[in-house]
Amino acid sequence: MAKKPAKKSPAVDLANDDIGETTRMELWRLQLECRQVEQRANDLFFQNLIKGTSHLGLGQEAIASGFGGAMQTDDYTFCTYRGHNHTLVRGASMTGVLGELMGRECGLLGGKGGSMHLTSVEHGAMGSYAIIGAHLPIAVGAAWSAQYRGSDQVTTCFFGDGTTNIGAFHEALNMAQVWKLPVVFVCENNLYMEYTPIGDVTAVEHPAADRASAYGLDSIIVDGNDADAVYRVAQTAFAKARAGDGPSLIEAKTYRHSGHSRADPGAYRPDGELDAWLERDPIPMYRQRLLDFGIAEADVVAMEEDVLRRVDEASEAAQASPPPSPDVIATDVWADGGSAWRN
């Protein structure tokens, strides 16, 4: 019996593909790596191999992947404590990420930073920040540095919807626009600040986009579950920044599949809300799009298997790595690199 052809997505314009198979497969790889690493992190948490809590971005992979796929290798990324995906898409190793979450020597920070502080300067991942809004002025500083040095580097700063009600958000936007800095602000609006719906405490419908005009910026809203749409809006914003035309503010609509952290079951969400968003899960949506564009399913499956194999290898390597040794555990803590400075 002949195989029934896959149903084509109504949103796909097969006659006008501006992205191409090579880039689209790269976006698929990035999304798969983000999903599989975080699912593995979730499994390791329940095996008591990851201590403390962690903030997963399951369901939000298309944002990190779309922007990561559009960046130059020397661009800068600043993100929040929900920053596993943003660090991975810059090229940080799976072993380094999982090792850091597990507090192992092989971690990106030697096992001393943990889930909320992932950093890989060599890959342009300039830190995950646990204090809400704290990294926006720092990202502005990095953009100012690039402008001063005359490089064409662009800084991308990711933050949640709750950050839009923090003073640092407004201060950073204002300074970036006044000085026409090469920085792109990306609000990952997943509808919840922590446990509170953003709409309950914000005077405008779109917490980032509706405030853009106050700083002379365009109001930009993108489907944060569509990696192609994110990639396109990222390309436009990066081109604007590299041309010296200043910052952009982008609001990406998305949804986290789990609670705020591993300590949160998400019971406050209305019945049916999660199910509705799972229908728009970026991973199966993008997989179908690849097939709609005529990419062979065998190639899609091969990439899925390769990513899962590498996640398995990274997980095994991280588990085999020891905790940081006592002679280094107190270094890089205070100004002189040791605890004696405070004693």
Side-chain angles (χ1 to χ4, degrees), residues 84-140:
H84 307 161
N85 293 340
H86 300 294
T87 306
L88 282 166
V89 300
R90 295 310 312 273
S93 74
M94 296 178 184
T95 302
V97 170
L98 289 173
E100 191 59 40
L101 268 61
M102 296 170 66
R104 302 303 175 93
E105 193 176 74
C106 68
L108 292 178
L109 301 172
K112 295 162 55 178
S115 172
M116 292 196 287
H117 302 286
L118 296 181
T119 303
S120 183
V121 173
E122 65 179 304
H123 296 103
M126 308 304 289
S128 304
Y129 294 76
I131 299 175
I132 305 299
H135 60 306
L136 274 75
I138 303 173
V140 167

Side-chain angles (χ1 to χ4, degrees), residues 2 12 30 69 81 92 108 113 120 131 185 192 195 211 216 264 270 286 293:
V12 171
L30 292 174
Y81 47 78
L108 292 178
S120 183
I131 299 175
F185 299 99
Y192 291 92
Y195 315 119
R211 286 155 161 162
D264 171 25
Y286 206 80
F293 273 102

Side-chain angles (χ1 to χ4, degrees), residues 191-205:
L191 307 187
Y192 291 92
M193 298 192 306
E194 186 170 355
Y195 315 119
T196 305
I198 185 65
D200 287 358
V201 295
T202 306
V204 293
E205 179 181 0

Side-chain angles (χ1 to χ4, degrees), residues 262-273:
R262 287 306 324 150
D264 171 25
Y268 45 82
R269 297 184 290 194
D271 291 342
E273 183 178 83

Side-chain angles (χ1 to χ4, degrees), residues 36 40 94 302-316:
Q36 292 294 346
R40 182 59 51 86
M94 296 178 184
M303 185 169 287
E304 292 169 340
E305 292 176 345
D306 177 67
V307 169
L308 186 56
R309 174 187 58 78
R310 290 189 290 112
V311 171
D312 286 340
E313 292 173 353
S315 179
E316 292 172 3

Side-chain angles (χ1 to χ4, degrees), residues 16 119 188 221 227 290 306:
N16 184 29
T119 303
E188 299 180 276
I221 300 175
L290 296 177
D306 177 67

